[in-house]
Amino acid sequence: MALTKHKLGELIEQTFETNSDGIYIASDVKGMTITKEIIPTKADVSNTNLSKFIVVKPSEFIFNPRTHGKKIGFGYNDTQKSFIISWNNIAFRVKKAMINVVVPQYLFLHFNRSEWDREACFHSWGSSTEVFTWDALCEMEINLPPVFVQKKFVAVYNALLENKKVYEHGLDDLKLVCDGYIENLRRNMPAQKLGNYIERHDKRNFDNKIKNVMGISTSKNFREPTSKVNRNELSSYKIVAPRQITFVQTTHNEKVFAYAFNDTDEDIVVSSVNEVFSTDETQLLPEYLLMFFNRSEFDRYARFHSWGSAREVFTWKDLCEVKIPIPEIKIQRSIAAIYEVLRTRKKILERLKTQIKDICPILIKGSLDEGATM
């Protein structure tokens, strides 16, 4: 049997290099997600001392020791550039002496599985906040096939990642076309208040028949609720009928104008604190309006026009005051057709991301099976 068993502590070492010389700036600060992705930080670090932030070089790992109960925030730097993370996270790498034992990206496949999350959370401790420590990580065990087998399965994973990157570049080009159309209209047409073209709705799920409850993501889509929802107690929830739009009024935590469009044939229910509305489709297509909502310029507009102390709120009244160019329906349909292609491809990309994550346990099992037969 060619499999070897190791404690992770034998293979990895923590890194402590900090941004003490100030090479890295606010735009270099990254965070991580529970889906094991590295993303730009959501925190406002414009006035933060970054000298103590940890430098993460290519092929190094990061994780957040504070667990979310079921998932560990984790990431792997698969780029050619270094970045920095907050000092209260942990960064580590494969030891130089162990590169001939474990391939860093293969190790990431091991971490990028729900099985590993469950084991890590099992070894977490704490009352109000569960913590998964560096020592706990080092005590975990891993079975490894020979390096050439690891590289073989990593190559399969990389091929999928490359396909995803090509698809993402195509989406960027489509978005550029959509934004170009909007910018041209904005410059050459008079703007009109949205309040003249939209209608507010407050229909409740009084009979509790609709169980299709959703939250709203910062990526401007419906998502499964993050909080525990009693599906037998949805009578106060608002109904979002097909072709209606709903949005979150708070903007401080979300950092964006978070909304979702019901493009299905079924009613959806959302929290009673959200707003729900429709457009007068004889004059304004919802798909055309969504193109404005998806622009980073509109996110900045919504945040600037939000108000409040403890919570910043962008209200229905604020939305009605928004001004946009509204061309004739024929032109809206032409622009919306391009946008619909963009939305469809975004959905395909999300499915592709899910498939890539789901294949990690399959690749690990395949590599172990192959290594065991050698």
Side-chain angles (χ1 to χ4, degrees):
M1 183 179 293
L3 296 181
T4 58
K5 179 177 284 190
H6 304 266
K7 283 191 173 183
L8 284 175
E10 301 170 17
L11 307 172
I12 59 177
E13 61 186 0
Q14 197 169 351
T15 63
F16 299 97
E17 181 181 344
T18 63
N19 186 35
S20 56
D21 51 8
I23 291 177
Y24 301 94
I25 58 177
S27 60
D28 297 314
V29 180
K30 305 293 182 182
M32 71 217 78
T33 69
I34 58 174
T35 55
K36 312 296 183 281
E37 295 174 292
I38 290 173
I39 59 172
T41 183
K42 293 181 179 180
D44 181 3
V45 294
S46 56
N47 295 314
T48 302
N49 180 358
L50 303 180
S51 62
K52 294 183 179 180
F53 277 45
I54 302 170
V55 177
V56 182
K57 297 178 179 179
S59 300
E60 293 184 348
F61 303 80
I62 57 176
F63 76 92
N64 184 340
R66 294 166 300 284
T67 78
H68 296 266
K70 296 181 179 179
K71 299 283 186 180
I72 304 290
F74 200 96
Y76 172 67
N77 186 358
D78 61 356
T79 73
Q80 299 302 312
K81 296 178 63 177
S82 299
F83 57 82
I84 53 176
I85 59 168
S86 174
W87 54 268
N88 53 15
N89 296 314
I90 292 175
F92 67 95
R93 65 191 171 203
V94 173
K95 296 176 181 177
K96 287 184 178 180
M98 290 296 170
I99 291 295
N100 62 338
V101 177
V102 59
V103 176
Q105 198 168 15
Y106 180 84
L107 189 57
F108 177 65
L109 298 185
H110 172 79
F111 293 132
N112 197 17
R113 300 173 304 133
S114 57
E115 294 89 340
W116 182 80
D117 275 313
R118 288 194 293 271
E119 183 180 358
C121 288
F122 177 77
H123 290 290
S124 301
W125 58 271
S127 53
S128 60
T129 302
E130 291 186 1
V131 177
F132 178 64
T133 65
W134 168 251
D135 289 339
L137 175 65
C138 290
E139 285 299 310
M140 296 176 80
E141 294 184 337
I142 183 174
N143 289 315
L144 293 173
V147 165
F148 77 90
V149 175
Q150 295 178 40
K151 290 181 177 179
K152 173 182 174 180
F153 283 84
V154 164
V156 175
Y157 182 75
N158 282 338
L160 291 171
L161 288 183
E162 192 59 35
N163 286 340
K164 180 176 76 73
K165 289 177 182 177
V166 170
Y167 211 88
E168 285 173 333
H169 287 317
L171 288 180
D172 290 340
D173 292 340
L174 269 175
K175 188 175 187 308
L176 187 61
V177 171
C178 291
D179 288 346
Y181 267 116
I182 293 298
E183 190 62 24
N184 184 60
L185 288 172
R186 192 182 68 80
R187 291 179 181 276
N188 295 291
M189 285 191 66
Q192 302 180 55
K193 284 188 178 181
L194 268 184
N196 299 322
Y197 300 90
I198 58 179
E199 180 182 357
R200 192 181 195 181
H201 300 282
D202 190 5
K203 186 178 179 181
R204 303 297 177 109
N205 188 32
F206 290 123
D207 55 10
N208 210 43
K209 285 186 177 180
I210 303 172
K211 307 297 183 182
N212 188 18
V213 59
M214 290 286 177
I216 300 172
S217 73
T218 55
S219 57
K220 306 178 187 286
N221 292 302
F222 285 113
R223 58 158 174 75
E224 291 297 320
T226 53
S227 58
K228 291 183 179 180
V229 175
N230 184 349
R231 294 177 187 269
N232 296 317
E233 294 292 339
L234 301 175
S235 59
S236 65
Y237 280 56
K238 289 182 180 178
I239 297 173
V240 187
R243 298 192 63 76
Q244 290 183 350
I245 302 168
T246 178
F247 71 91
V248 179
Q249 295 185 76
T250 55
T251 58
H252 178 70
N253 292 329
E254 289 75 13
K255 309 296 182 186
V256 299
F257 177 75
Y259 81 90
F261 174 53
N262 185 358
D263 59 356
T264 74
D265 297 324
E266 299 180 354
D267 289 341
I268 295 171
V269 291
V270 296
S271 170
S272 60
V273 300
N274 295 339
E275 291 285 356
V276 179
F277 69 96
S278 62
T279 68
D280 176 359
E281 296 203 32
T282 64
Q283 301 184 75
L284 176 62
L285 295 177
E287 290 87 351
Y288 173 77
L289 180 57
L290 303 187
M291 294 176 68
F292 281 89
F293 289 166
N294 277 358
R295 305 176 79 216
S296 57
E297 291 87 346
F298 190 80
D299 287 330
R300 290 193 291 270
Y301 174 93
R303 293 205 66 198
F304 180 79
H305 287 88
S306 299
W307 58 273
S309 53
R311 302 177 71 192
E312 294 180 2
V313 180
F314 185 75
T315 66
W316 167 255
K317 182 179 178 181
D318 296 321
L319 182 66
C320 289
E321 292 297 313
V322 171
K323 292 183 177 181
I324 67 170
I326 301 180
E328 60 181 88
I329 287 292
K330 183 179 179 181
I331 295 176
Q332 291 184 43
R333 284 201 182 98
S334 298
I335 302 173
I338 300 173
Y339 175 68
E340 187 57 30
V341 173
L342 177 62
R343 290 182 68 246
T344 301
R345 292 194 175 187
K346 278 185 176 180
K347 290 179 181 178
I348 294 172
L349 178 61
E350 290 305 313
R351 288 200 294 269
L352 181 58
K353 287 180 178 179
T354 300
Q355 290 169 357
I356 289 174
K357 182 170 178 60
D358 290 345
I359 204 172
C360 289
I362 297 172
L363 293 175
I364 291 294
K365 185 178 186 306
S367 67
L368 294 176
D369 289 346
E370 184 169 325
T373 58
M374 305 182 95

